[in-house]
Every structure is written in structure tokens, then in C-alpha cells.
Amino acid sequence: PAKVAADALARGELVAWVNGPSEWGPRALGHRSVLARPDSEAIRDALNRRIKGREVFRPFAPALLDAQARTILVDAPNDMTPRMTTTCEVVEGAELAGCTHVDGTARAQTVDGDGVFAGLLRTLEEAHGIRGVLNTSLNVAGEPMVAVETDALDFLVRRKPDALMIEDGWIRRPST
């Protein structure tokens, strides 16, 4: 799953990602997410327009491996970054244009360990030189987070991300 998703993200595709147990709470932490390249304002804008349908001024969050965060963000990782509950200053020149707020900060998520989401982040960096992903919740305003596979399939049909990864299954939308 990590290699297939990393290749799609590197091509600029928007990927709905469902892996592991369902999440609840104010943030998507890599089990129910929409993922995109973190370095592109154009991709961020497409995500807002095509999928999220939210105000353009609202920033998205980068998800980064702990080692990546140390070189991209000031004072990260810290006790609050694994849960995406604090902002950090983005180091000048870091390739996070799609995730950096106008004040130069990002509400980052740091990831450690050997889980599937960490594997995706490692693969994306090793195969494509892209550090981190833009990570947002797999839902739209006014709707709960996707919980089960049938919710994810409904999201794919209605919101039209380029692809959906459910565990190790890959579904790509037909090209139009």
C-alpha cells in the first residue's frame, strides 16, 4: 500500500486513505485521511475545491516523520505534535507550501514508529524525495469522519478523490 500511494501522491493525486481502526476526534491522524503532496499550493487549492469545499484561508496540516519534523519545523517534534494539537514555525525554504499558513506556521502531526502510515511517509521520502504529506480528515463539513469501508466508497463516489486506499486495496477513479 505504501508504494502505490506514494507513487500516486508524487504524481499530484489526491488519495483517500483508510487504514486500521476508525478515528474520532478533531483531527485525522493517518487512519481516515485525505492525503496530498505538501509542497503545492495548486494541489491544496484543488483539494479545497474538489473535495473539502471549505474556505481557502483555512490551512491544512502536514504529517511528518519525527526525523523530518526536526529539520522542517521549529521545536518539533514535541509532546503535542503527535496529535496535531499545536502549531510550529515552518523553517524557511521547507517544501510545505500547501500546508503553511500565512503566518509561517503549520499545525503539524509528527509520526514515529513502524506503522503503515509511517511506512507511507518513509516510502514517499525514499522513492520521491518528498518529506511528509498534507493530511486532512476523510470527511467534509457537516459530516462525520468516514468510519467503515462503505463510508469510504461513498466518499470516493461523491467527493471524487483520485484514488482510495482501503487497507491494502487500491481503487482508482477512471480518467475523464
Side-chain angles (χ1 to χ4, degrees):
K3 176 72 169 116
V4 172
D7 291 348
L9 291 165
R11 289 189 300 268
E13 295 180 20
L14 303 174
V15 175
W17 175 268
V18 176
N19 192 277
S22 184
E23 295 180 299
W24 63 274
R27 306 283 180 256
L29 300 174
H31 293 277
R32 301 293 188 274
S33 296
V34 178
L35 305 175
R37 288 183 67 128
D39 57 352
S40 171
E41 292 178 8
I43 292 172
R44 176 203 62 208
D45 294 344
L47 174 59
N48 254 332
R49 191 174 48 257
R50 284 181 33 207
I51 296 177
K52 295 299 274 189
R54 63 185 215 168
E55 302 86 0
V56 296
F57 64 84
R58 292 178 58 195
F60 289 110
L64 305 156
L65 291 169
D66 284 352
Q68 296 166 336
R70 284 185 183 90
T71 63
I72 295 175
L73 303 171
V74 176
D75 297 326
N78 61 51
D79 290 344
M80 296 179 70
T81 56
R83 298 284 176 219
M84 205 188 295
T85 53
T86 189
T87 59
C88 298
E89 183 181 340
V90 177
V91 173
E92 189 173 333
E95 296 179 352
L96 293 179
C99 305
T100 302
H101 194 49
V102 295
D103 67 358
T105 64
R107 185 187 69 226
Q109 173 194 6
T110 56
V111 179
D112 68 358
D114 295 318
V116 175
F117 194 53
L120 169 65
L121 295 170
R122 271 192 297 283
T123 301
L124 190 59
E125 183 174 24
E126 291 167 4
H128 302 286
I130 299 170
R131 296 185 299 168
V133 295
L134 182 156
N135 178 16
T136 188
S137 58
L138 188 55
N139 70 334
V140 294
E143 294 183 8
M145 183 111 57
V146 163
V148 296
E149 289 81 2
T150 52
D151 294 343
L153 292 169
D154 179 67
F155 188 90
L156 176 70
V157 170
R158 288 185 310 110
R159 303 314 298 184
K160 300 180 178 36
D162 297 305
L164 168 64
M165 176 68 74
I166 300 178
E167 302 299 336
D168 61 353
W170 182 252
I171 303 168
R172 175 177 299 289
R173 292 189 59 76
S175 298
T176 55

